Each structure stands twice: as structure tokens, then as C-alpha cells.
Amino acid sequence: MAKISLTVNGKAVSAEVEGRTLLVELLREKLGLTGTHIGCDTSQCGACVVHVNGDSVKSCTMLAVQAEGAEITTIEGLAAADGTLHPMQAMFREHHALQCGFCTPGMVMSAIDIVRKHPEGLSEAQIREELEGNLCRCTGYHNIVKAIAAAFPLMHQKQAA
Amino acid sequence: MAFEGIGASVKRREDGRFLAGRGHYVDDMNRPGQLYAVIRRSDRPHARLRGIDTAAAMAAPGVVAVYTGADIAADGLGGIPCGWQIHNKDGSPMAEPMHPVLAIGKVRHVGDPIAVVIAETKAQAKDAAELLAIDFEDLPGVADLRAAAAGGAPLVHDDVAGNVCYDWHIGDKDAVDAAFARAKHVAKLDLVNNRLIPNAMEPRAALGECDVAGNYTLSTTSQNPHVIRLLMGAFVLHIPEHKLRVIAPDVGGGFGSKIYHYAEEAIVTWAAGKLRRPVKWTAERSESFMSDAHGRDHVSHAEMAVDESGRFLALRVSTLANMGAYLSTFAPSVPTYLYATLLAGVYKTPAIYAEVKAIFTNTVPVDAYRGAGRPEAAFLLERLVDAVAHDTGIDRIALRRANFIPADAYPYQTPVALQYDSGNHEVTLAEALKTADYAGFPARRAEAARRGKLRGIGISTYLEACGIAPSQVAGALGARAGLYEVANIRVHPTGSVTVFTGTHSHGQGHETTMAQLVADQLGLPLDQIEIVHGDTGQIPFGMGTYGSRSLAVGGSAMVKAMDKIIAKGKRIAAHLMEAAVEDIEFKDGAFRVAGTDKSKALAEISLAAYIPHNYPIEELEPGLEETAFYDPKNFTYPGGCHVCEVEIDPETGVTKVVNFVAVDDVGRVINPMIVEGQVQGGVAQGIGQALLEGAAYDANGQLLSGSFMDYTMPRADNLPNITVGTEITLCTHNPLGSKGCGEVGAIGSPPAVINAVVDALKEYGVRHLDMPATAEKIWSIIQANRPKMAAE
């Protein structure tokens, strides 16, 4: 067992973990942050995407011990303290970009990273290509693509302000 | 207040928790003292179990128990039951071999559960499961339908001759034979309906608990918790309903795969009782691939007899349907009453005969997957119609129009049992062709050709039967259950309402749609209405969600319960306002004395009902709560037209869907936004089936497509934008007029896609190709036919 310390959603946390414990297991089992989901065992589905030091990462591809000292943001850490949704969350709701909700946390975390990394703008085709690492079985992606396109100006406006 | 009733695209109420990461799925649940179960599964398609040595696993750190089939048998548990019995042509019942909870004597498919290890942590249970020493004697296996049905194939069950589960038929064979004898043309087609793996994004999970008084609770990823309680309690564990509560909380997609009662549900519930500690099992994705019921897997031969003017005279179909190694809950119904009864489609074909042989193989059980039988029927028929057009030279649109059941012929009795209540195929066809700019296609094809691309367009005009189902009809066809739905509506003392529904939402947005329905009928704002689903401890009864039934059947039950609320409210209002009951009207949430300005809000009536000081207590019970069981009079029949346009790169064989239009007649729409989403999702699964997805086994039964690295799930860049229209004719026999929208997308789309691909490849002599139309398959066709084209 190893003791690790990291920051999750702005709070300092520490935990005892086995060497083989995955970051997603730490988040779900030890920290009770069950918003991050496990949808596969081959790092294909993207349901477990979180932000590690500002980058989107499939948290099933990272050992918990590798997160020592890292700043992690999960779906639970996106909304403001008063409950105001992040623009990406708001646009997912507005455009009906979720059905069963299971892929949604990973999809939202990936979508935010996609928009952040393309301040120059994103075409529909680019959004679809960037979503390669996230599977959704319910929506056919149509409305997810719409939601991301709609969140783009809101996110970059906010950063500019 | 914004309009929130029937017809409003209200944003979903469930989204708040899902977007905040506060969804509540089974694997999110953890109980004090909880143990973890890991299943050791067969990695062999077919083998005799000579022995299982559990000693090393039992001695491993953290292990609390190891159970095998012998322990299950010793406790007298039953097998996993099948809920539908089909009869053979000769009237004898189908073969129904024992489906043990854990394998006894033999394993029959990769993924067949052999033993369960229960430990303090999941990691400990996984480690120990590796230590189980299993002595297998490998047996020859068979996965392919035609191979399994051929004489001399290995027997999946020693006592099922020829691997035949049943040999069934429907229709008038003599009339069909006579029509074929006088036909001008006969178009023939051999088709494969590819096997699919459902892959809801949430893997299955189950958490069993048992309290000191012997009350059991199972939390499970289910589309129908009451059905699980009935099947597991009565047939497997022998626990009566009042001692067993089944909860299906947020469930991450189902598509049929979470309808069935699975062994793991029984295992964790039984083990929790034996160990008196909560036991949780969660599937890994690789387990989902080898243990969730698969879908489709038909091989068919179809023939259409046509007269000189292109009128369909008769249809003859022969189908082999794969059941897998055991019968899943509703498996026998899928290739029979959900398939062959749909072979009339939207056409007035006067004579139809279909025979279906269901075959056991050494593969995962096959059961209903989004559409269930109806996509197989639509694919066969819509491909066959295009083949008739190809063979006779008649335009495929004109051919369809000439054979449509005309709108004024409804209600329409088909030659294969069903009576359609309503539809208008001309209107959906015309709308779809217009939206897709069908007329402009030749120009687009020419433009694509200039870029070196092959462009094709395809249509399907389909119909399906859902809103499952009238109980007595289903019973006569072999169902071992009723298929009504239940609603309990509780008006609280201060006028807010809780609705308990026996349907279950796992992505469909019932908490929004059903609240809109109640808001509309009772004249309440949405925030005064709560929808409760997925808990046998709270909801009187229910048959769950599948077969696009939740609104048509479950919503109709709500309407009936609200009718009772309003009728009782009128009597209370009449008493309070000293008027005759006949003079009371209910509108916009208030009871009014007709022709006066006297009125009482629903909240005033409910308060009087719960505090019955001034109340007709001699005639009426206090309280304002009503339950309704609604048994539908008929199936509902959504239908429509899908148009698909594809572009194929001849250098790579890659097909790109460049435009997809779905115009579906789903009856009355409560929330257009949600209906569009349902259709888009269904079409995505249909495009997946047509172009990308296919479960692959080797000849012996080894699963080759056992992960997302091997099985192609549709991704965002595989799919187009999907334009959806809903043309409405109302269902004539339920109080809402709704037909259902959950499956139409997956039913109508695969033939439209393949018809488009065939159209794109027509210059290469292609008349048909089987799904999935992968790049490799298309590239090979192009390569094989290139020299011939050059020679010509």
C-alpha cells in the first residue's frame, strides 16, 4: 500500500492505495466520487474521462499512485458552488445531448477539453473526429455535437472576459 | 408559466443529476459490510466439466465463499426460466433445456458461468477466481446457424435432436403455392441478419442484500424489476414476492439486453442470504460481451411472387434463427411473433407463408435487441422489394406505391395475424422524399462521380408492431406473462402528485414525458409532479419497459388512473359546492359547476379528501389515490419512411452516410425533443448494424469480437446528422393515440442503408450484400468486379 496526496475538485485529499489501484477506482471507491463511470476494460469508451492537471485523461489508464500531487477535476467539480452549471453541462441539457446519462460525465469532460484546445474554432467534422475516444450508445452523437458547438462561444467568451 | 403539457419540448428533469455526476447506478451503491462477487466463466465454447478444485481459491486472502453449480443444486434452486413457449408445426411444445444458474456437468458457450468467488474486496475476488482449477474435457462446438442445423452437427444439448428448439410456421402455404404457380416474376433473395452485441454503456451489475428477518433486496440493472422479482423469486430462489424487493435505479441504457433475468441476479441474492452480508457483482465489459444476450442472427431465404404489373401476389420465407446455448427470457418470441407476423409490412401482399426454425448453438443466448424481430422482418422485406425492382425493372418507389396498403383500407387485416389500426404510407413516403431531395439525387450522383466517388440512395418504407401487448393475444401466442401496465396516482393532501409507474426509464426520459402527460391532464405545473419508477417496494406492479410500450401502455394506464381521480374528485366537488355530480366539469386543474363561476382547485378537493370533515363520507372513502391496470386492445403500429444517401470511396471501400432522413409516424407525441432523440439513437444503431457491427465467432464457438477493440461500435465520426420528422396518424385504440418511438429508428434504417449501398454499387453488378457492409467487403467487391467492367 502507498499513501498518496492529491487535489480533487479543489480539495486536498490523501488515500492509501495498492500499487495496482487505478485512478478511476480511487475516485469511485475511496473518494466516493461515483460520477466518473467505468464502461469498459480496454480504455475505449471514455466514460471515465477526468481532467488531470487540466488535460483530459481516461482515468482507467492511469494508476492512482501516478496521480500523486496532481490536480484532478471530475464531473462533480464542474458546476459553480451555487450550482450554476458549466456552459458545457448547460448546453448538454439545452440540446438533449444525453439519454441514459452513463457516458455523459466522460463525454462532458472530453468535450470541455476539446473546446479548450481549439480556441481557433471547431467545425462539425472536427468535433466528431475529436470525440473518437468517447462512446455513446443512446444519442447517435447528433445532439452531443450540437451541444459542443453551442458551448464553444460560451466557453471562449468566458475566458476572454 | 411556459407550456409544459402534451406537445412541448420540455428540457429533461433527469438531466440535472446526470450532468452533475449524481446519477445513481447500481455500481455506485455500496453497503456496510459489502462483499464482492467475481464470476469465473468458461473460456471454452463447449466442454464437459470433469472437476472444479476450489481449495486454493478458498484459501486465498479475503475469500469468504466459493460456490459452484453443485452448491446451487444442493440448495434446490431452479434453472433460469424462459417466459415464452412456442409450439412446433405438429403442435408439440418447443425444446426447453435446463438453463442452470452455474454450469452443471457441461459448459455450452464462452462466458457460461462456472463458479462465483466472494471476497472482501473486488481485487481479492478476482485474484482468487484465477486460482480455481477447472478440469475441462473439450467437446466439438458449433456456432454457425447453418452448420448447427445441418445433420451430424455437435449437439449443444444431448437431449435436443438436431439442435432444433422449434420448427414453427405461420400463414397459408397452399394459397402461397398457388400464387407462385401463376406469378409472372419471382424474385429470390438469401439474406443474413447479422448478430449484434447490445453494449449498453453501463455494464450489468447486481447487489443482493438480506436482512435479519429474511427480507431480500436486489438492486439490479434492469428494464423491468417486477418481472425479475417474479421470475427469480418464483422459479429460481423460491422467495415469495412479499419477502423480495427488486430495485432498478438509474440504468445506463438497455436496448433489450437488460430485460432478461440473468444468473448473476440470482447468485448475489442467494449468496447474500447464505452469508447474511450484502454481495455486489459488476460486469467488466469483456463479461458483457460474453454474457449479455445478443441480438438478431437470422439466415433467411425469401421469395416474392409478382404479377405482370408489379403487384405482389405472395411472399414465401424460410428462416433459421439462432437461440444461442440456452433460451433467454423472451428469446422464442423474437423470430416468431415479433418477426414473421410483420412480413406483410406496409404492403397488401394477399398471401404469406413463413417457416422458422430456431436452433441452439454454442454461443451466448440471443434475445430481443432494439426492434427485436421487426428489424429482421423490415430488412428482409425492404431488401426483397428492391430486388423485385431490380429484376423487373420497375422503379422502386413506384413499386412500393403500387403495393402500399391504402390509407382508406385501415383497419387492415394482414394474412399473418396482425390487424393494423392506422397509418398513411403515401404521406410519410412523400415527406421523406421531399426532405431528402430525392429528385435532386441524380445531380449529386454525377457530381460525386466527377470526384471519383460512388454515390447511392436507398429507401425503406416500413411498419412495426409495438406497444406490447394485449395479454390474451400474447398468451394465446405463448407468452407466460400478462403484458398490461400499471399506474398508481397519489394526489397528496395539498395537491401535489406522485405517480408510480411499472415502466422503467433507462434513457427514455420518462420522468419528463410522463410528468408532462400528468401535468396536461390534471392541469398542474410540472414541479408538482414526481414520477417514481424502478422499485417493487413502492410500485404496485408493472411489466417494465421494452417493445416501445411505456407511453402507449404505461401512459394509457396513467390516463385511466387519472380518469378515476377526476371521477372521484367530481363527487367530492359536487358535495362541497352543493351541486349535482353531472354538473361538475374538470378543466385546467379545477372542478367547476357548469354555467356558474363556482369552482374548486384540485388541491382543495384533495385536502377535503384527506381531512374529510365536510365530505360525503357515507358514499365515498377518504383519500385521493387511484390505481389502474391497462391492458392494450391491440399492438400499436408505427411506421414510416427512411431515406439514406451514401458515398463510397472505391479506393478504400469506406462508406460514408452523407444524409439520413427518417419520417416516422409514431402517433401522438408528448415531447418532440425526446422523440427526435429516440429516433436518432435508433437510427445510429441501425447504421451501426448495416455498416459496422457484427459479432464474430469461429466455427467452434470461440468469441472473436470480445471487446471494443474487436467489435465496431459506431463513433461520432461514423455517423451523419440525422433529420427526423414525425407525421402523425393516431393510434385508434388507446386513450393517448400514441404508438411508440423507441425502436422505429433501428427498424427502418438498416434496409435504407443497404439499399443505398447496393444502389451505389449497381455498376459493379451488385444486387445484394449482407450486413455489415464493411470497407473490406465493399473493397473486395469492387476489386473482384473491376476487371469485368474493364472488359465490358
Side-chain angles (χ1 to χ4, degrees):
Chain A
M1 295 289 255
K3 187 172 180 202
I4 57 164
S5 299
L6 62 163
T7 306
V8 179
N9 297 333
K11 278 188 221 145
V13 296
S14 57
E16 292 269 335
V17 296
E18 283 187 69
R20 63 179 166 179
T21 302
L22 302 172
L23 176 58
V24 67
E25 292 168 334
L26 168 72
L27 294 170
R28 287 183 56 81
E29 306 295 332
K30 300 251 177 188
L31 304 178
L33 293 169
T34 56
T36 301
H37 294 151
I38 301 173
C40 75
D41 45 14
T42 52
S43 296
Q44 304 280 305
C45 80
C48 68
V49 170
V50 299
H51 293 171
V52 179
N53 298 325
D55 287 323
S56 73
V57 168
K58 288 179 175 171
S59 60
C60 72
T61 60
M62 195 169 156
L63 295 169
V65 291
Q66 292 176 294
E68 168 68 32
E71 279 204 38
I72 312 280
T73 306
T74 71
I75 188 76
E76 289 94 340
L78 279 186
D82 67 354
T84 304
L85 296 178
H86 183 281
M88 190 63 74
Q89 291 171 305
M91 289 304 99
F92 264 60
R93 180 162 196 271
E94 181 67 24
H95 292 279
H96 186 32
L98 62 151
Q99 291 183 22
C100 81
F102 196 80
C103 78
T104 306
M107 200 62 87
V108 168
M109 300 309 284
S110 286
I112 290 171
D113 192 58
I114 292 167
V115 170
R116 274 189 195 153
K117 297 225 163 105
H118 290 277
E120 75 284 3
L122 275 167
S123 67
E124 187 204 312
Q126 269 177 302
I127 293 172
R128 289 183 179 273
E129 205 166 299
E130 292 278 353
L131 282 176
E132 268 273 340
N134 290 77
L135 294 176
C136 169
R137 195 55 151 167
C138 294
T139 62
Y141 305 96
H142 180 105
N143 287 339
I144 293 174
V145 175
K146 269 168 57 181
I148 295 172
F152 185 94
L154 301 176
M155 280 178 63
H156 286 296
Q157 204 175 59
K158 207 173 134 195
Q159 278 174 6
Chain B
M1 189 178 80
F3 174 60
E4 300 176 323
I6 292 176
S9 283
V10 174
K11 304 300 175 212
R12 296 202 326 168
R13 310 167 88 203
E14 39 277 86
D15 288 359
R17 68 178 184 272
F18 292 141
L19 283 164
R22 296 204 175 79
H24 190 57
Y25 302 88
V26 174
D27 190 53
D28 299 341
M29 299 177 166
N30 291 298
R31 302 288 190 238
Q34 174 179 298
L35 298 167
Y36 294 81
V38 165
I39 311 277
R40 176 70 183 268
R41 298 176 185 279
S42 176
D43 55 2
R44 323 289 172 101
H46 197 193
R48 216 175 298 285
L49 289 172
R50 282 196 295 223
I52 306 170
D53 185 349
T54 60
M58 266 312 294
V63 172
V64 174
V66 178
Y67 299 119
T68 68
D71 299 296
I72 301 270
D75 268 18
L77 272 56
I80 306 287
C82 178
W84 203 294
Q85 187 180 50
I86 296 296
H87 286 81
N88 293 304
K89 286 172 182 167
D90 66 6
S92 61
M94 67 183 188
E96 198 172 350
M98 168 75 169
H99 182 182
V101 173
L102 290 170
I104 295 173
K106 247 172 112 171
V107 288
R108 294 182 175 85
H109 68 87
V110 169
D112 211 356
I114 297 169
V116 58
V117 176
I118 297 168
E120 297 289 344
T121 72
K122 189 167 182 179
Q124 288 171 333
K126 280 180 84 166
D127 289 344
E130 296 284 320
L131 299 175
L132 287 166
I134 300 166
D135 185 8
F136 291 104
E137 177 193 341
D138 283 318
L139 299 169
V142 62
D144 179 73
L145 256 177
R146 279 168 288 206
L155 290 184
V156 179
H157 298 275
D158 295 342
D159 53 349
V160 179
N163 293 316
V164 178
C165 173
Y166 56 75
D167 181 6
W168 173 92
H169 65 160
I170 191 169
D172 186 338
K173 186 170 186 302
D174 294 340
V176 167
D177 289 345
F180 269 85
R182 64 184 157 84
K184 170 87 170 152
H185 305 283
V186 173
K188 299 181 180 180
L189 202 57
D190 289 296
L191 312 95
V192 173
N193 205 286
N194 47 330
R195 184 183 184 108
L196 302 178
I197 301 180
N199 281 317
M201 291 315 302
E202 180 203 23
R204 287 189 298 114
L207 167 62
E209 297 171 76
C210 181
D211 71 13
V212 288
N215 294 303
Y216 289 84
T217 301
L218 167 68
S219 300
T220 181
T221 50
S222 175
Q223 301 177 214
N224 36 221
H226 286 87
V227 175
I228 301 306
R229 184 180 66 167
L230 180 67
L231 293 174
M232 184 178 81
F235 296 98
V236 186
L237 300 183
H238 312 303
I239 302 170
E241 280 99 330
H242 69 292
K243 303 296 275 183
L244 175 57
R245 178 179 180 186
V246 178
I247 298 169
D250 286 331
V251 171
F255 315 111
S257 70
K258 292 171 181 167
I259 297 172
Y260 324 115
H261 175 41
Y262 286 98
E264 297 85 0
E265 294 170 322
I267 290 168
V268 298
T269 309
W270 169 72
K274 283 182 89 71
L275 302 170
R276 295 289 155 147
R277 288 176 67 178
V279 178
K280 184 164 89 173
W281 167 80
T282 305
E284 299 198 338
R285 179 60 59 183
S286 53
E287 287 186 276
S288 309
F289 274 97
M290 62 173 99
S291 71
D292 293 5
H294 292 181
R296 317 282 192 259
D297 206 345
H298 283 194
V299 173
S300 296
H301 176 75
E303 300 180 351
M304 185 76 89
V306 184
D307 74 8
E308 56 287 341
S309 63
R311 266 199 300 272
F312 303 157
L313 299 175
L315 171 65
R316 186 152 57 196
V317 174
S318 173
T319 292
L320 293 176
N322 202 335
M323 293 285 103
Y326 305 101
L327 291 178
S328 175
T329 309
F330 290 118
S333 68
V334 177
T336 49
Y337 295 106
L338 294 174
Y339 164 69
T341 53
L342 270 301
L343 287 171
V346 295
Y347 309 111
K348 50 190 183 191
T349 315
I352 297 174
Y353 177 70
E355 44 192 351
V356 178
K357 252 190 205 178
I359 303 294
F360 289 111
T361 59
N362 293 109
T363 64
V364 175
V366 180
D367 207 326
Y369 166 71
R370 200 171 198 168
R374 292 149 288 163
E376 294 91 315
F379 184 72
L380 179 143
L381 199 54
E382 289 304 292
R383 281 298 305 129
L384 187 59
V385 170
D386 263 28
V388 170
H390 173 275
D391 296 356
T392 60
I394 300 171
D395 172 74
R396 54 192 164 164
I397 309 274
L399 181 66
R400 284 176 167 84
R401 284 201 159 116
N403 286 284
F404 274 165
I405 299 162
D408 62 8
Y410 283 94
Y412 179 80
Q413 177 64 51
T414 74
V416 276
L418 299 177
Q419 191 189 65
Y420 304 158
D421 65 333
S422 64
N424 192 327
H425 313 301
E426 279 290 347
V427 171
T428 48
L429 172 66
E431 180 70 24
L433 294 179
K434 191 172 127 217
T435 308
D437 186 23
Y438 189 82
F441 175 74
R444 296 195 294 278
R445 171 175 240 155
E447 187 277 330
R450 286 196 290 277
R451 287 184 284 110
K453 301 287 196 288
L454 307 168
R455 200 153 172 133
I457 194 164
I459 73 161
S460 80
T461 50
Y462 76 95
L463 174 145
E464 62 130 334
C466 64
I468 293 169
S471 293
Q472 291 188 0
V473 173
L477 303 179
R480 289 164 166 161
L483 285 161
Y484 48 81
E485 199 42 78
V486 184
N488 171 267
I489 298 193
R490 187 177 296 163
V491 185
H492 299 290
T494 56
S496 66
V497 172
T498 304
V499 179
F500 300 87
T501 173
T503 65
H504 183 274
S505 186
H506 31 279
Q508 297 88 340
H510 292 174
E511 290 166 39
T512 304
T513 302
M514 289 178 169
Q516 285 180 257
L517 166 62
V518 173
D520 194 278
Q521 307 274 296
L522 293 184
L524 292 172
L526 278 187
D527 62 8
Q528 295 289 297
I529 301 160
E530 193 70 23
I531 305 291
V532 177
H533 60 94
D535 182 358
T536 66
Q538 296 187 71
I539 297 141
F541 202 73
M543 297 309 296
T545 287
Y546 41 82
S548 307
R549 69 192 301 275
S550 298
L551 186 61
V553 190
S556 293
M558 287 178 196
V559 171
K560 278 192 69 177
M562 284 188 281
D563 287 346
K564 293 185 191 179
I565 295 275
I566 293 165
K568 183 170 181 181
K570 282 182 177 174
R571 294 177 69 184
I572 301 168
H575 175 89
L576 292 176
M577 295 187 282
E578 297 177 334
V581 176
E582 309 77 62
D583 291 338
I584 305 293
E585 299 170 346
F586 180 73
K587 201 173 167 245
D588 300 332
F591 295 89
R592 291 189 172 77
V593 181
T596 75
D597 59 359
K598 286 206 275 187
S599 88
K600 294 267 180 203
L602 178 64
E604 295 176 87
I605 298 300
S606 60
L607 195 64
Y610 284 97
I611 307 174
H613 295 167
N614 177 16
Y615 193 82
I617 201 85
E618 297 293 327
E619 311 156 29
L620 272 187
E621 292 174 19
L624 196 54
E625 173 173 348
E626 297 289 350
T627 300
F629 283 58
Y630 174 78
D631 202 275
K633 295 182 182 73
N634 191 352
F635 294 88
T636 58
Y637 300 97
C641 180
H642 289 192
V643 183
C644 177
E645 194 163 326
V646 299
E647 204 168 278
I648 294 172
D649 183 341
E651 299 303 318
T652 62
V654 170
T655 300
K656 189 174 162 56
V657 179
V658 289
N659 191 23
F660 199 101
V661 172
V663 176
D664 301 297
D665 179 2
V666 298
R668 183 166 334 269
V669 169
I670 307 285
N671 184 318
M673 175 191 82
I674 287 177
V675 169
E676 275 197 28
Q678 287 292 306
V679 174
Q680 286 161 350
V683 167
Q685 280 170 313
I687 293 174
Q689 169 164 28
L691 297 180
L692 304 166
E693 298 181 43
Y697 279 95
D698 75 7
N700 208 37
Q702 185 56 252
L703 179 62
L704 303 177
S705 57
S707 80
F708 285 148
M709 295 189 292
D710 315 295
Y711 184 91
T712 315
M713 291 277 281
R715 290 167 196 262
D717 54 359
N718 298 128
L719 294 170
N721 279 317
I722 298 158
T723 308
V724 175
T726 45
E727 268 310 317
I728 296 180
T729 62
L730 297 182
C731 169
T732 60
H733 58 78
N734 71 37
L736 278 167
S738 296
K739 298 184 179 185
C741 67
E743 296 164 292
V744 291
I747 294 168
S749 57
V753 176
I754 295 298
N755 286 347
V757 171
V758 170
D759 185 52
L761 295 174
K762 66 181 173 188
E763 284 157 21
Y764 292 84
V766 175
R767 178 173 173 269
H768 174 69
L769 83 171
D770 283 322
M771 302 186 288
T774 58
E776 186 262 340
K777 196 180 281 179
I778 290 174
W779 185 84
S780 300
I781 289 170
I782 289 171
Q783 294 306 312
N785 290 286
R786 221 166 221 166
K788 194 172 78 192
M789 285 186 76
E792 282 164 5

